[in-house]
Amino acid sequence: MTLPDITKSRAVLIGTSKYMHMHELSAVENNLQALQELFQHKTLWGLPPENCTVISNPQSPAEMLDPVRDAVASATETLLIYFAGHGLLDSTGNELYLTLSTSDKDRLYTAVRYEHLKNELLDSQARHKVVILDCCHSGRALSIMSGEDDTGLVADSAATSGTYVMAAAMKNAKVTGMYSAFSGELIDLIQKGDRDKPEYLTVDMLFTHARDILREKGLPIPQRRDRDFGANLKIFYNIEYSKPPEPTEPHYGPINSPRPLRIFASRRELHDAGIHRPLQAGICGTAERGGAESIVVSGGYKDDRDYGDVIIYTGHGGRDSNSGKQIEDQSPKHFGNAALIKNIITGLPVRVVRGAAGNPEYSPDFGYSYDGLFKVTDYWTKRSVDGPLVLQYRLEKISDCVDWEKNSTATHVPDLNRWEIISAGVYVDMALSDKLKRLYNYSCQICDVVLEAPGELRLAYTVHIKGLGLPHNGPDAMDNMLCLCANHRDLFKYGAIVIDGDYQVVNQGDEEPLGVLTVRHEINREYIRYHREHHVNLYPRDR
């Protein structure tokens, strides 16, 4: 079944809206009624009434936790626990207490320690456990000494293995609408659906929808924790879903419009114009279909660098969605990263869109700007600002002419009979290349193979060890060059092979040595080290 089996799933909805010693939260009662209807709605999920228990204004720990214990004993598919009301933290800020109608914030023993609820969940045999905590911290009387948001601490202490936890904070329990702030956004998405989302809403879609809207409204930002649990659990049918048309063929290059607009107010407008189709993803396209069609540069990754006609673009993946920090290494196997690598091989151009949050020198004041076609010329790995490895791509603007004064340090147009342009404003001396090839008699420094074409024409290629141009700025000099065959040129350029300090050539795929580099000219070992460090092995062997 696409949605969790309703006969094997249980939901317990707990809400405390009336208090003897604290101010009332009338919105909590509205939360319970709305969620009960949505959980039992036959189109959305369809839990039977006997499998969806509502506990309103519990007055004792047993009244709150006994239904949870019963649900834990019965659920084998999905178990969902919801609590809304005042939430209290102890004086250390380490323990969460769930309030009863009789609770007093000055007497924590009158509330229920979350630890007791957590212990019940540890006994659950359900495949999926979801906990939604819409807790109020009564005027934030108990602040976190570390300066962290309350909900971050709550989520850390609340999470149990195999449980997806959503934790919300509300300032002084103020409610601007019919429901509490966090629950209200969850309810709104479930009730109305979203035409831009897939057929079924996952728990993570519910959370990110609420988080993004609350952030825009300037309200406390909720947190989530996911322990050994797939955030892609489908939980509700998307009532606004309509079957999409058959996938269209990928479209590379300029859009089919004689005078395309440049400024767009939203991702939806970019989608409708055919410039960048995804409404959330920053990379459109896959390696299997030819490469990336378009990208969005919007300042989302700290390691991005925008130089106008040259963009250093950070690949996708590894970021924490709450903080934006890079917490995991990126992988070249991710579809977006693999797509951009494919563009280097195919030479297909990429449409570039800049968002208002990017480099202000080149980004629009609002919305998004379509900034034309760029070519992906190189990629490498580096340590991100936050620590984990990221992939980076060099994109160069495609232009029919070159602004020599802007893009070159030369004071005049280079003699193209001697100088070869390899990117905007970057030239190499063909005489140096020819000298190096003749020095090695057109043989590859790695495999010693000499490629010959009819007419006794020998074919060899030179490659710069430390890349030219931004951000590497390596020199066009023989001590920064190798003479290689076509195969090893590309393998070296893209980091599939590296050279160690003793000139040992290493295949990164199986980490086996290929032999010792043939050396007949002086090579700067610093450039060899730079290349090796910027192509950390992304394909380690299974051990």
Side-chain angles (χ1 to χ4, degrees), residues 90-110:
D90 69 0
S91 59
T92 67
N94 293 324
E95 283 204 65
L96 170 69
Y97 284 77
L98 310 180
T99 53
L100 305 164
S101 291
T102 55
S103 295
D104 186 334
K105 66 181 181 180
D106 295 323
R107 297 174 175 82
L108 283 181
Y109 57 81
T110 61

Side-chain angles (χ1 to χ4, degrees), residues 499-504 525 528-529 532:
I499 301 171
D500 67 19
D502 296 323
Y503 297 128
Q504 184 83 247
R525 292 176 183 268
I528 292 288
R529 182 194 63 79
R532 187 169 62 249

Side-chain angles (χ1 to χ4, degrees), residues 277-328:
R277 292 185 284 111
L279 295 172
Q280 292 186 338
I283 303 172
C284 175
T286 64
E288 291 75 17
R289 304 187 78 186
E293 302 172 44
S294 58
I295 65 168
V296 174
V297 184
S298 58
Y301 285 87
K302 300 175 185 177
D303 297 276
D304 283 354
R305 296 293 180 267
D306 192 343
Y307 302 103
D309 288 345
V310 174
I311 295 172
I312 308 303
Y313 184 75
T314 306
H316 180 81
R319 281 198 313 160
D320 179 80
S321 58
N322 292 319
S323 65
K325 290 185 63 175
Q326 197 74 29
I327 58 174
E328 295 178 352

Side-chain angles (χ1 to χ4, degrees), residues 477-542:
M478 285 185 63
D479 67 348
N480 187 36
M481 296 166 63
L482 297 175
C483 177
L484 303 175
C485 65
N487 284 345
H488 286 122
R489 174 199 62 181
D490 289 347
L491 292 173
F492 180 81
K493 181 177 180 181
Y494 301 128
I497 55 178
V498 294
I499 301 171
D500 67 19
D502 296 323
Y503 297 128
Q504 184 83 247
V505 182
V506 179
N507 183 336
Q508 296 239 60
D510 56 15
E511 299 178 348
E512 293 295 329
L514 297 178
V516 179
L517 187 75
T518 299
V519 179
R520 297 174 187 164
H521 74 292
E522 184 177 346
I523 299 175
N524 190 318
R525 292 176 183 268
E526 178 63 22
Y527 301 149
I528 292 288
R529 182 194 63 79
Y530 183 92
H531 174 271
R532 187 169 62 249
E533 290 183 355
H534 278 71
H535 291 89
V536 175
N537 190 3
L538 295 169
Y539 301 96
R541 287 184 299 178
D542 293 332

Side-chain angles (χ1 to χ4, degrees), residues 301 315-319 326-331 334 337 389-390:
Y301 285 87
H316 180 81
R319 281 198 313 160
Q326 197 74 29
I327 58 174
E328 295 178 352
D329 292 346
Q330 292 183 348
S331 169
H334 180 275
N337 297 332
L389 286 172
V390 293

